[in-house]
Amino acid sequence: MKTLRSHVYGRWHEATSGFVPLLDPSTEEVLAQASSEGLDFGAVLDHARELGGPALRGMTFAQRGALLKEMSKVLREHRDELLDLSRRNNGTTKPDGSFDVDGASGTLAYYAALSKSLGDRYALPEGEGVQLARTEGFWVQHVLVPRRGVAVHINAFNFPAWGFAEKAACALLAGMPVITKPATATALTTEHAIELIVEAGILPEGALQLVIGGTGDLLDRLGPQDVMAFTGSADTARKLRNRPNLLAANTRVNVEADSLNAAVLGPDVDPAEGSATFGLFLKDVVREITQKAGQKCTAVRRILVPADRIDDVQDALISELRTVVTGNPAENLVTMGPLATSQQLRDAEEGVAELARTARLVYGTGQRIDGISAPEGKGFFFAPTLLRADDARQAGAVHEREVFGPVATLLSYDASAVAAAEIAALGGGMLVSSVYSDDAGWVRDFLTSGGGAAGRVYVGSESSAADAPGSGAALPQALHGGPGRAGGGEELGGLVGVRLYLQRVAIQGSKTLVNEVTEVSA
Ligand code: NAP
């Protein structure tokens, strides 16, 4: 059986005990085993600090960007292998796997291109310099320089390629060495991606290490110049952020966690009229429920619809959900794969049972089903599931529990933008909220009252219907992260995500010298 290996201190490490099996979630066949036993995390950190950090800091932003371009190229060249691993270990259909794998190479390519605009410089000036005395003899310029530590990246199971790449792109561009740790259950794709990058000899020694399995005492060894970026459940995030040494050393921590994203249908959009805006709403919401079997942090969990339209919207959604074919993605007919693990299946079943205390099931059973082209009784399949709560403000767990599967709840509201914003905000902070309306005034009211509850607001309208990719797409140009329950983190968004790994420094001195040091032209 394949044993996944960590890539640490310049070589591959294969554990000999403490294994966790990795399964094909469609068949429950064991594909591989993983463990981090025997890793010396002190040596892993030393390797990054002593070799990777200095090598990366010795390069300019543009030079580091060129490394990202090579990484992107390698992943693109081996796309089919990665998609195959994603299907086998994550249970993804080809389009779902591509969302992850092409998302990874695309994000690396985006940051490679961005680096050209940053240029051949070692520090990024921020804003204009300011005179601090009567003459230019005393001046200040803010600049961003790489932090001297290590970036530790802990990723969720649902995006083994993109999750690694979107974080690594920002850290490497900033000049910080990376230690990446994928979720163990679905680490096959990440392991191969790193293997391809290592074999291509793109990065300087110590710039990128891979930890397969548990993190041992790694996090207890982090210090004040390090960064820990975590994506996963709010529960794990809470435990990790409260580790005494991270608090004591004030290690920079970024969290991307749960999110009860809301899609809101504006009152100007009448389902009976069959407008482009309603068509986009329907297409987006169905995609956001079923893509990656709903195992997406940006998936739509709550659907807010004006009370007098909710029956029509429910019928339209159910008729689309009926066309979804759930099963083993090895079969071409299948449009939705299984959940990734038995634990996720159990969580989804328990989650729907909890939601059903305050909402009623209107489509699906909330239980495991057999998938097509999968052995009977095997596989973690869960059909698309729709619930409905007519009293949105009393919907309890609907605003608190993220069911990480193809599950969403319809909620009715009274057509006012302020009410919609208030109900959406009951989720305690979202990565994204989508609104579908052609009434700019209504959308402005929604944004003013409730935009702050989400990191991103996606407006679906007639004028965007042909181009909008769906609210779930976390594009590198736009901020990814949200307040409260969503973790409070900030990733991507062009330079926003890179800043996490940079230290802002105010350089004071004479204007001439400060400008020379910071490469600012006078
Ligand atoms: P999880 O159980 O919290 O695990 C996330 C990661 O944390 C995994 O790599 C896991 O490793 C690691 N981990 C768990 N306990 C740890 C510990 N004590 N020390 C160090 N690492 C630890 O989450 P998940 O089930 O993989 O992912 C699903 C959740 O992620 C959902 O809630 C979803 O909303 C969220 N998510 C958020 C975003 C976002 O961008 N906001 C994106 C994707 C997913 P092991 O696998 O080895 O246990």
Side-chain angles (χ1 to χ4, degrees):
M1 185 192 323
K2 180 178 170 66
T3 298
L4 268 62
R5 297 170 305 163
S6 296
H7 193 263
V8 285
Y9 17 88
R11 62 179 171 81
W12 291 98
H13 167 91
E14 187 169 310
T16 51
S17 59
F19 292 112
V20 174
L22 279 71
L23 306 186
D24 178 332
S26 298
T27 61
E28 299 182 39
E29 174 202 350
V30 179
L31 301 172
Q33 57 183 4
S35 163
S36 64
E37 292 268 324
L39 284 186
D40 176 348
F41 288 102
V44 174
L45 283 169
D46 287 348
H47 192 66
R49 291 192 206 292
E50 288 163 17
L51 294 176
L56 290 168
R57 291 197 296 275
M59 295 178 179
T60 64
F61 283 90
Q63 287 169 332
R64 294 191 293 258
L67 303 177
L68 303 183
K69 189 172 172 191
E70 292 302 305
M71 290 167 70
S72 167
K73 192 164 155 251
V74 165
L75 298 190
R76 263 201 331 274
E77 283 167 2
H78 295 268
R79 175 178 187 263
D80 289 345
E81 291 154 40
L82 294 165
L83 285 177
D84 189 53
L85 290 175
S86 171
R87 176 182 60 75
R88 290 170 61 216
N89 193 196
N90 278 74
T92 49
T93 60
K94 198 159 182 184
D96 288 357
S98 131
F99 195 67
D100 183 35
V101 170
D102 295 335
S105 54
T107 302
L108 286 161
Y110 165 79
Y111 276 102
L114 181 74
S115 76
K116 290 191 188 145
S117 67
L118 307 180
D120 263 319
R121 48 169 65 248
Y122 296 91
L124 283 186
E126 239 198 355
E128 299 286 310
V130 178
Q131 189 170 311
L132 298 175
R134 278 180 301 128
T135 69
E136 291 180 347
F138 199 53
W139 186 264
V140 65
Q141 171 71 53
H142 289 92
V143 292
L144 298 167
V145 295
R147 288 169 73 90
R148 289 184 46 81
V150 176
V152 172
H153 293 162
I154 299 181
N155 282 311
F157 73 86
N158 53 346
F159 282 101
W162 176 81
F164 142 66
E166 58 100 17
K167 286 186 172 63
C170 289
L172 293 171
L173 178 56
M176 281 190 86
V178 170
I179 298 168
T180 191
K181 179 223 158 352
T184 306
T186 59
L188 261 183
T189 313
T190 321
E191 193 224 29
H192 191 49
I194 305 286
E195 189 179 22
L196 293 167
I197 291 165
V198 169
E199 276 176 6
I202 297 166
L203 293 170
E205 192 54 64
L208 176 64
Q209 297 182 83
L210 167 71
V211 168
I212 292 288
T215 50
D217 61 359
L218 174 68
L219 302 182
D220 295 325
R221 293 171 171 274
L222 297 186
Q225 284 285 309
D226 299 322
V227 175
M228 185 195 69
F230 169 82
T231 296
S233 63
D235 263 0
T236 310
R238 209 169 7 257
K239 285 183 211 143
L240 296 189
R241 353 171 160 255
N242 289 326
R243 286 173 95 103
N245 78 304
L246 296 183
L247 294 172
N250 205 4
T251 305
R252 198 176 273 183
V253 173
N254 192 80
V255 170
E256 302 289 342
D258 303 358
S259 182
L260 291 156
N261 310 298
V264 183
L265 187 67
D268 60 306
V269 186
D270 183 351
E273 285 172 6
S275 65
T277 310
F278 186 69
L280 179 66
F281 164 84
L282 206 55
K283 186 167 96 183
D284 281 359
V285 170
V286 170
R287 184 203 294 113
E288 295 310 324
I289 294 174
T290 57
Q291 190 173 47
K292 292 181 115 294
Q295 299 167 107
K296 246 175 28 179
C297 51
T298 49
V300 168
R301 306 290 176 202
R302 300 173 296 157
I303 311 160
L304 275 62
V305 179
D308 60 344
R309 306 266 160 86
I310 196 164
D311 291 331
D312 289 346
V313 170
Q314 178 180 316
D315 290 347
L317 283 173
I318 289 175
S319 100
E320 291 296 320
L321 293 174
R322 279 191 207 289
T323 67
V324 174
V325 183
T326 306
N328 184 345
E331 161 61 62
N332 281 335
L333 283 176
V334 166
T335 57
M336 190 176 86
L339 299 182
T341 64
S342 60
Q343 176 66 41
Q344 289 304 318
L345 174 63
R346 221 166 19 250
D347 278 0
E349 288 177 337
E350 286 170 11
V352 172
E354 191 179 347
L355 300 187
R357 288 193 209 126
T358 47
R360 63 183 196 279
L361 260 179
V362 292
Y363 187 70
T365 61
Q367 301 286 323
R368 180 196 171 279
I369 57 164
D370 273 334
I372 74 157
S373 287
E376 201 182 325
K378 293 279 184 195
F380 313 129
F381 300 102
F382 197 89
T385 302
L386 192 64
L387 297 101
R388 169 169 168 174
D390 290 318
D391 190 346
R393 290 177 199 272
Q394 300 302 320
V398 173
H399 302 297
E400 287 152 19
R401 176 146 187 174
E402 182 198 47
V403 182
F404 214 56
V407 179
T409 304
L410 277 162
L411 299 163
S412 68
Y413 76 100
D414 67 8
S416 101
V418 173
E422 281 171 7
I423 293 165
L426 292 176
M430 297 168 279
L431 291 171
V432 55
S433 179
S434 45
V435 279
Y436 294 84
S437 172
D438 292 288
D439 179 344
W442 192 93
V443 175
R444 191 181 308 117
D445 287 348
F446 177 85
L447 187 65
T448 316
S449 326
R456 181 160 59 87
V457 174
Y458 164 104
V459 184
S461 66
E462 200 174 331
S463 48
S464 70
D467 297 313
S471 55
L475 300 170
Q477 297 87 342
L479 173 70
H480 177 61
R485 185 190 303 278
E490 293 197 329
E491 289 187 339
L492 302 175
L495 270 184
V496 173
V498 183
R499 282 197 197 104
L500 177 65
Y501 305 97
L502 295 167
Q503 180 64 40
R504 181 172 296 109
V505 183
I507 313 273
Q508 294 178 317
S510 72
K511 179 177 179 183
T512 323
L513 201 65
V514 165
N515 281 351
E516 207 173 316
V517 168
T518 57
E519 300 167 279
V520 171
S521 43

